[in-house]
CSV table of all heavy atoms in Angstrom, one decimal:
chain,number,residue,atom,x,y,z
A,16,GLU,N,161.1,91.9,26.0
A,16,GLU,CA,160.1,92.5,27.0
A,16,GLU,C,159.3,91.4,27.7
A,16,GLU,O,158.8,91.7,28.7
A,16,GLU,CB,159.2,93.4,26.2
A,16,GLU,CG,159.9,94.6,25.5
A,16,GLU,CD,159.0,95.3,24.7
A,16,GLU,OE1,157.8,95.0,24.5
A,16,GLU,OE2,159.5,96.2,24.0
A,17,VAL,N,159.1,90.2,27.2
A,17,VAL,CA,158.3,89.2,27.7
A,17,VAL,C,159.0,87.9,28.1
A,17,VAL,O,159.1,87.5,29.3
A,17,VAL,CB,157.1,89.0,26.8
A,17,VAL,CG1,156.3,87.8,27.4
A,17,VAL,CG2,156.3,90.1,26.5
A,18,VAL,N,159.7,87.4,27.1
A,18,VAL,CA,160.2,86.0,27.4
A,18,VAL,C,161.3,86.0,28.4
A,18,VAL,O,161.3,85.2,29.4
A,18,VAL,CB,160.9,85.5,26.0
A,18,VAL,CG1,161.4,84.0,26.2
A,18,VAL,CG2,159.7,85.4,25.0
A,19,VAL,N,162.3,86.9,28.4
A,19,VAL,CA,163.4,86.8,29.3
A,19,VAL,C,162.9,87.2,30.6
A,19,VAL,O,163.2,86.6,31.7
A,19,VAL,CB,164.6,87.7,28.8
A,19,VAL,CG1,165.5,88.1,30.0
A,19,VAL,CG2,165.3,87.0,27.7
A,20,PRO,N,162.1,88.3,30.8
A,20,PRO,CA,161.6,88.5,32.3
A,20,PRO,C,160.7,87.4,32.7
A,20,PRO,O,160.7,87.0,33.9
A,20,PRO,CB,160.7,89.8,32.0
A,20,PRO,CG,161.3,90.5,30.8
A,20,PRO,CD,161.8,89.3,29.9
A,21,TYR,N,159.9,86.7,31.8
A,21,TYR,CA,159.0,85.6,32.3
A,21,TYR,C,159.9,84.5,32.7
A,21,TYR,O,159.7,83.8,33.7
A,21,TYR,CB,158.2,85.2,31.0
A,21,TYR,CG,157.3,84.0,31.3
A,21,TYR,CD1,156.0,84.2,31.9
A,21,TYR,CD2,157.7,82.8,31.1
A,21,TYR,CE1,155.2,83.1,32.1
A,21,TYR,CE2,156.9,81.7,31.4
A,21,TYR,CZ,155.6,81.8,32.0
A,21,TYR,OH,154.8,80.7,32.2
A,22,GLN,N,161.0,84.2,31.9
A,22,GLN,CA,161.8,83.0,32.3
A,22,GLN,C,162.6,83.3,33.6
A,22,GLN,O,162.9,82.4,34.3
A,22,GLN,CB,162.7,82.7,31.1
A,22,GLN,CG,161.9,82.2,29.9
A,22,GLN,CD,162.9,81.7,28.8
A,22,GLN,OE1,164.1,81.7,28.9
A,22,GLN,NE2,162.4,81.3,27.7
A,23,TRP,N,162.9,84.6,33.8
A,23,TRP,CA,163.6,85.0,35.0
A,23,TRP,C,162.7,84.6,36.3
A,23,TRP,O,163.1,84.1,37.2
A,23,TRP,CB,164.0,86.3,35.1
A,23,TRP,CG,164.7,86.9,36.3
A,23,TRP,CD1,164.3,87.9,37.1
A,23,TRP,CD2,165.9,86.4,36.9
A,23,TRP,NE1,165.1,88.1,38.2
A,23,TRP,CE2,166.2,87.1,38.0
A,23,TRP,CE3,166.8,85.4,36.5
A,23,TRP,CZ2,167.3,87.0,38.9
A,23,TRP,CZ3,167.9,85.2,37.3
A,23,TRP,CH2,168.1,85.9,38.4
A,24,ASP,N,161.4,85.0,36.1
A,24,ASP,CA,160.4,84.7,37.1
A,24,ASP,C,160.3,83.2,37.3
A,24,ASP,O,160.3,82.7,38.4
A,24,ASP,CB,159.1,85.2,36.8
A,24,ASP,CG,159.0,86.8,37.0
A,24,ASP,OD1,159.8,87.2,37.8
A,24,ASP,OD2,158.1,87.4,36.4
A,25,ALA,N,160.3,82.5,36.2
A,25,ALA,CA,160.3,81.0,36.3
A,25,ALA,C,161.5,80.3,36.9
A,25,ALA,O,161.3,79.4,37.8
A,25,ALA,CB,160.0,80.4,34.8
A,26,LEU,N,162.7,80.9,36.7
A,26,LEU,CA,163.8,80.3,37.4
A,26,LEU,C,163.8,80.7,38.8
A,26,LEU,O,164.5,80.1,39.5
A,26,LEU,CB,165.1,80.9,36.7
A,26,LEU,CG,165.2,80.4,35.2
A,26,LEU,CD1,166.4,81.3,34.5
A,26,LEU,CD2,165.7,79.0,35.1
A,27,ASN,N,163.1,81.7,39.1
A,27,ASN,CA,163.0,82.1,40.6
A,27,ASN,C,161.7,81.6,41.2
A,27,ASN,O,161.3,82.0,42.3
A,27,ASN,CB,163.2,83.6,40.7
A,27,ASN,CG,164.6,84.0,40.6
A,27,ASN,OD1,165.4,84.0,41.5
A,27,ASN,ND2,164.9,84.5,39.4
A,28,ASP,N,161.0,80.7,40.5
A,28,ASP,CA,159.8,80.1,41.2
A,28,ASP,C,158.7,81.0,41.4
A,28,ASP,O,158.0,81.0,42.4
A,28,ASP,CB,160.1,79.3,42.3
A,28,ASP,CG,161.2,78.2,42.1
A,28,ASP,OD1,161.2,77.7,41.1
A,28,ASP,OD2,162.1,78.1,43.0
A,29,ARG,N,158.5,82.0,40.5
A,29,ARG,CA,157.5,83.0,40.7
A,29,ARG,C,156.3,82.9,39.7
A,29,ARG,O,155.6,83.8,39.6
A,29,ARG,CB,158.0,84.4,40.7
A,29,ARG,CG,159.0,84.7,41.7
A,29,ARG,CD,159.4,86.1,41.9
A,29,ARG,NE,160.1,86.6,40.8
A,29,ARG,CZ,161.4,87.0,40.8
A,29,ARG,NH1,162.2,86.7,41.9
A,29,ARG,NH2,162.1,87.4,39.8
A,30,ILE,N,156.2,81.8,38.9
A,30,ILE,CA,155.1,81.7,38.0
A,30,ILE,C,154.0,80.7,38.6
A,30,ILE,O,154.3,79.6,38.9
A,30,ILE,CB,155.7,81.0,36.6
A,30,ILE,CG1,156.7,81.9,36.1
A,30,ILE,CG2,154.5,80.8,35.6
A,30,ILE,CD1,156.3,83.2,35.6
A,31,GLU,N,152.8,81.2,38.7
A,31,GLU,CA,151.7,80.5,39.4
A,31,GLU,C,151.4,79.4,38.5
A,31,GLU,O,151.3,79.4,37.3
A,31,GLU,CB,150.6,81.5,39.5
A,31,GLU,CG,149.4,80.9,40.4
A,31,GLU,CD,148.3,81.8,40.6
A,31,GLU,OE1,148.5,83.0,40.3
A,31,GLU,OE2,147.3,81.5,41.1
A,32,ASN,N,151.1,78.2,39.1
A,32,ASN,CA,150.6,77.0,38.4
A,32,ASN,C,151.6,76.5,37.4
A,32,ASN,O,151.3,75.9,36.4
A,32,ASN,CB,149.3,77.2,37.7
A,32,ASN,CG,148.2,77.7,38.7
A,32,ASN,OD1,148.1,77.2,39.8
A,32,ASN,ND2,147.4,78.6,38.3
A,33,ALA,N,152.9,76.8,37.7
A,33,ALA,CA,154.0,76.2,36.9
A,33,ALA,C,154.9,75.3,37.7
A,33,ALA,O,155.0,75.5,38.9
A,33,ALA,CB,154.7,77.3,36.1
A,34,GLU,N,155.5,74.4,37.0
A,34,GLU,CA,156.4,73.5,37.8
A,34,GLU,C,157.6,74.4,38.4
A,34,GLU,O,158.2,75.1,37.6
A,34,GLU,CB,157.0,72.4,36.9
A,34,GLU,CG,156.0,71.3,36.4
A,34,GLU,CD,156.6,70.1,35.9
A,34,GLU,OE1,157.5,69.6,36.5
A,34,GLU,OE2,156.3,69.7,34.8
A,35,PRO,N,157.9,74.2,39.6
A,35,PRO,CA,159.0,75.0,40.3
A,35,PRO,C,160.3,74.6,39.6
A,35,PRO,O,160.6,73.5,39.2
A,35,PRO,CB,158.9,74.6,41.7
A,35,PRO,CG,158.3,73.3,41.7
A,35,PRO,CD,157.3,73.3,40.6
A,36,SER,N,161.3,75.5,39.4
A,36,SER,CA,162.6,75.3,38.8
A,36,SER,C,163.6,75.2,40.0
A,36,SER,O,164.3,74.2,39.8
A,36,SER,CB,163.0,76.5,38.0
A,36,SER,OG,164.3,76.5,37.7
A,37,GLY,N,163.7,76.0,40.8
A,37,GLY,CA,164.7,75.8,41.9
A,37,GLY,C,166.2,76.2,41.4
A,37,GLY,O,167.1,76.1,42.2
A,38,ALA,N,166.2,76.5,40.1
A,38,ALA,CA,167.6,76.7,39.5
A,38,ALA,C,168.4,77.9,40.2
A,38,ALA,O,169.6,77.6,40.4
A,38,ALA,CB,167.4,77.0,38.0
A,39,VAL,N,167.8,79.1,40.3
A,39,VAL,CA,168.5,80.2,40.9
A,39,VAL,C,168.7,79.8,42.4
A,39,VAL,O,169.8,80.1,43.0
A,39,VAL,CB,167.8,81.5,40.7
A,39,VAL,CG1,168.4,82.6,41.5
A,39,VAL,CG2,167.7,81.8,39.2
A,40,HIS,N,167.7,79.3,43.0
A,40,HIS,CA,167.8,78.9,44.4
A,40,HIS,C,169.0,78.0,44.7
A,40,HIS,O,169.7,78.3,45.6
A,40,HIS,CB,166.6,78.2,44.9
A,40,HIS,CG,166.6,77.7,46.3
A,40,HIS,ND1,166.5,78.6,47.4
A,40,HIS,CD2,166.7,76.5,46.8
A,40,HIS,CE1,166.6,77.8,48.5
A,40,HIS,NE2,166.8,76.6,48.1
A,41,ASN,N,169.3,77.0,43.8
A,41,ASN,CA,170.4,76.1,44.0
A,41,ASN,C,171.7,76.8,44.1
A,41,ASN,O,172.6,76.6,44.8
A,41,ASN,CB,170.4,75.1,42.8
A,41,ASN,CG,169.2,74.2,42.9
A,41,ASN,OD1,168.6,73.9,43.8
A,41,ASN,ND2,168.9,73.6,41.7
A,42,TYR,N,171.9,77.9,43.2
A,42,TYR,CA,173.1,78.7,43.1
A,42,TYR,C,173.2,79.5,44.3
A,42,TYR,O,174.4,79.6,44.9
A,42,TYR,CB,173.1,79.5,41.9
A,42,TYR,CG,173.7,78.9,40.7
A,42,TYR,CD1,172.8,78.6,39.5
A,42,TYR,CD2,175.0,78.6,40.6
A,42,TYR,CE1,173.4,78.0,38.5
A,42,TYR,CE2,175.6,78.0,39.4
A,42,TYR,CZ,174.7,77.7,38.3
A,42,TYR,OH,175.2,77.1,37.2
A,43,LYS,N,172.1,80.0,44.9
A,43,LYS,CA,172.2,80.8,46.1
A,43,LYS,C,172.6,80.0,47.3
A,43,LYS,O,173.4,80.3,48.1
A,43,LYS,CB,170.8,81.4,46.3
A,43,LYS,CG,170.5,82.6,45.4
A,43,LYS,CD,169.2,83.2,45.7
A,43,LYS,CE,168.9,84.4,44.8
A,43,LYS,NZ,167.6,85.0,45.1
A,44,VAL,N,172.1,78.6,47.3
A,44,VAL,CA,172.5,77.8,48.5
A,44,VAL,C,173.9,77.4,48.3
A,44,VAL,O,174.6,77.5,49.3
A,44,VAL,CB,171.7,76.5,48.4
A,44,VAL,CG1,172.0,75.5,49.5
A,44,VAL,CG2,170.1,76.9,48.6
A,45,ALA,N,174.4,77.1,47.1
A,45,ALA,CA,175.8,76.7,46.9
A,45,ALA,C,176.7,77.9,47.2
A,45,ALA,O,177.9,77.7,47.6
A,45,ALA,CB,176.0,76.3,45.5
A,46,ALA,N,176.3,79.2,47.0
A,46,ALA,CA,177.0,80.3,47.2
A,46,ALA,C,177.0,80.6,48.8
A,46,ALA,O,177.7,81.6,49.2
A,46,ALA,CB,176.5,81.5,46.4
A,47,GLY,N,176.2,80.0,49.5
A,47,GLY,CA,176.1,80.3,50.9
A,47,GLY,C,175.3,81.5,51.2
A,47,GLY,O,175.2,82.0,52.4
A,48,GLU,N,174.4,81.9,50.3
A,48,GLU,CA,173.6,83.1,50.5
A,48,GLU,C,172.3,82.8,51.3
A,48,GLU,O,171.8,83.6,51.9
A,48,GLU,CB,173.3,83.7,49.1
A,48,GLU,CG,172.5,84.9,49.1
A,48,GLU,CD,172.4,85.6,47.8
A,48,GLU,OE1,173.5,85.9,47.1
A,48,GLU,OE2,171.3,85.8,47.3
A,49,VAL,N,171.8,81.5,51.0
A,49,VAL,CA,170.6,81.1,51.8
A,49,VAL,C,170.8,79.7,52.2
A,49,VAL,O,171.6,79.0,51.6
A,49,VAL,CB,169.2,81.2,50.9
A,49,VAL,CG1,169.1,82.7,50.5
A,49,VAL,CG2,169.5,80.3,49.6
A,50,ASP,N,170.0,79.2,53.1
A,50,ASP,CA,170.0,77.8,53.5
A,50,ASP,C,169.0,77.0,52.6
A,50,ASP,O,168.0,77.6,52.1
A,50,ASP,CB,169.6,77.6,55.0
A,50,ASP,CG,170.6,78.3,55.9
A,50,ASP,OD1,171.9,78.3,55.5
A,50,ASP,OD2,170.2,78.8,57.0
A,51,GLY,N,169.2,75.7,52.5
A,51,GLY,CA,168.4,75.0,51.7
A,51,GLY,C,169.0,73.8,51.0
A,51,GLY,O,170.2,73.5,51.4
A,52,SER,N,168.3,73.0,50.2
A,52,SER,CA,168.9,71.9,49.6
A,52,SER,C,168.6,72.0,48.1
A,52,SER,O,167.9,72.9,47.6
A,52,SER,CB,168.2,70.6,50.2
A,52,SER,OG,166.8,70.7,49.9
A,53,PHE,N,169.2,71.1,47.3
A,53,PHE,CA,169.2,71.1,45.9
A,53,PHE,C,167.8,70.8,45.5
A,53,PHE,O,167.1,69.8,46.0
A,53,PHE,CB,170.2,70.2,45.3
A,53,PHE,CG,170.2,70.2,43.8
A,53,PHE,CD1,171.0,71.0,43.1
A,53,PHE,CD2,169.3,69.3,43.1
A,53,PHE,CE1,171.0,71.0,41.7
A,53,PHE,CE2,169.4,69.3,41.7
A,53,PHE,CZ,170.2,70.2,41.0
A,54,HIS,N,167.3,71.3,44.4
A,54,HIS,CA,166.0,71.1,43.8
A,54,HIS,C,166.1,70.9,42.3
A,54,HIS,O,166.8,71.7,41.6
A,54,HIS,CB,164.9,72.1,44.1
A,54,HIS,CG,163.6,71.9,43.5
A,54,HIS,ND1,162.7,71.1,44.0
A,54,HIS,CD2,163.1,72.3,42.2
A,54,HIS,CE1,161.6,71.1,43.2
A,54,HIS,NE2,161.9,71.7,42.2
A,55,GLY,N,165.4,69.9,41.9
A,55,GLY,CA,165.4,69.7,40.3
A,55,GLY,C,166.2,68.7,39.7
A,55,GLY,O,166.6,67.8,40.5
A,56,MET,N,166.4,68.7,38.4
A,56,MET,CA,167.1,67.8,37.7
A,56,MET,C,168.6,67.9,37.9
A,56,MET,O,169.0,68.9,38.3
A,56,MET,CB,166.9,67.9,36.2
A,56,MET,CG,165.3,67.7,35.8
A,56,MET,SD,164.8,66.0,35.9
A,56,MET,CE,163.3,66.1,35.1
A,57,VAL,N,169.4,66.9,37.6
A,57,VAL,CA,170.9,66.9,37.8
A,57,VAL,C,171.5,68.0,36.9
A,57,VAL,O,172.5,68.5,37.2
A,57,VAL,CB,171.5,65.5,37.4
A,57,VAL,CG1,171.3,65.2,36.0
A,57,VAL,CG2,172.9,65.5,37.9
A,58,PHE,N,170.7,68.4,35.8
A,58,PHE,CA,171.2,69.4,34.9
A,58,PHE,C,170.6,70.8,35.0
A,58,PHE,O,170.6,71.6,34.2
A,58,PHE,CB,171.1,69.0,33.5
A,58,PHE,CG,169.7,68.3,33.2
A,58,PHE,CD1,168.7,69.1,33.0
A,58,PHE,CD2,169.6,67.0,33.1
A,58,PHE,CE1,167.3,68.5,32.7
A,58,PHE,CE2,168.3,66.4,32.8
A,58,PHE,CZ,167.3,67.2,32.6
A,59,GLN,N,170.0,71.0,36.2
A,59,GLN,CA,169.2,72.2,36.5
A,59,GLN,C,170.1,73.5,36.3
A,59,GLN,O,169.5,74.5,35.9
A,59,GLN,CB,168.6,72.1,37.9
A,59,GLN,CG,167.3,72.9,38.0
A,59,GLN,CD,166.1,72.1,37.4
A,59,GLN,OE1,166.3,71.1,36.7
A,59,GLN,NE2,165.0,72.7,37.5
A,60,ASP,N,171.4,73.4,36.5
A,60,ASP,CA,172.2,74.6,36.4
A,60,ASP,C,172.1,75.2,35.0
A,60,ASP,O,172.2,76.4,34.8
A,60,ASP,CB,173.7,74.2,36.7
A,60,ASP,CG,174.0,74.1,38.2
A,60,ASP,OD1,173.0,74.1,39.0
A,60,ASP,OD2,175.2,73.8,38.5
A,61,SER,N,172.0,74.4,34.0
A,61,SER,CA,172.0,74.8,32.6
A,61,SER,C,170.9,75.7,32.3
A,61,SER,O,171.1,76.6,31.3
A,61,SER,CB,172.1,73.6,31.6
A,61,SER,OG,170.9,72.8,31.7
A,62,ASP,N,169.8,75.7,32.9
A,62,ASP,CA,168.6,76.6,32.6
A,62,ASP,C,169.1,78.0,33.0
A,62,ASP,O,168.7,79.0,32.3
A,62,ASP,CB,167.5,76.3,33.5
A,62,ASP,CG,166.9,74.9,33.1
A,62,ASP,OD1,167.2,74.4,32.0
A,62,ASP,OD2,165.9,74.4,33.7
């Protein structure tokens, strides 16, 4: 009820005053769904 929804928000950069993740965004860019560049650590996919 809390952790998984919260982490989904974090992975989508929707948590205020928290370090941005960019993890879902990276996949969307790689899939051609949105424009943009890679963000985060070299292992960001694993999150």
Side-chain angles (χ1 to χ4, degrees):
E16 297 173 6
V17 176
V18 177
V19 162
Y21 179 91
Q22 292 186 4
W23 179 241
D24 284 340
L26 292 171
N27 284 277
D28 306 318
R29 296 196 290 255
I30 301 295
E31 188 176 354
N32 299 321
E34 291 194 53
S36 167
V39 172
H40 174 76
N41 292 338
Y42 274 109
K43 289 180 177 179
V44 176
E48 187 171 300
V49 299
D50 294 328
S52 58
F53 181 89
H54 176 85
M56 303 282 191
V57 68
F58 44 77
Q59 209 76 356
D60 286 3
S61 63
D62 293 347

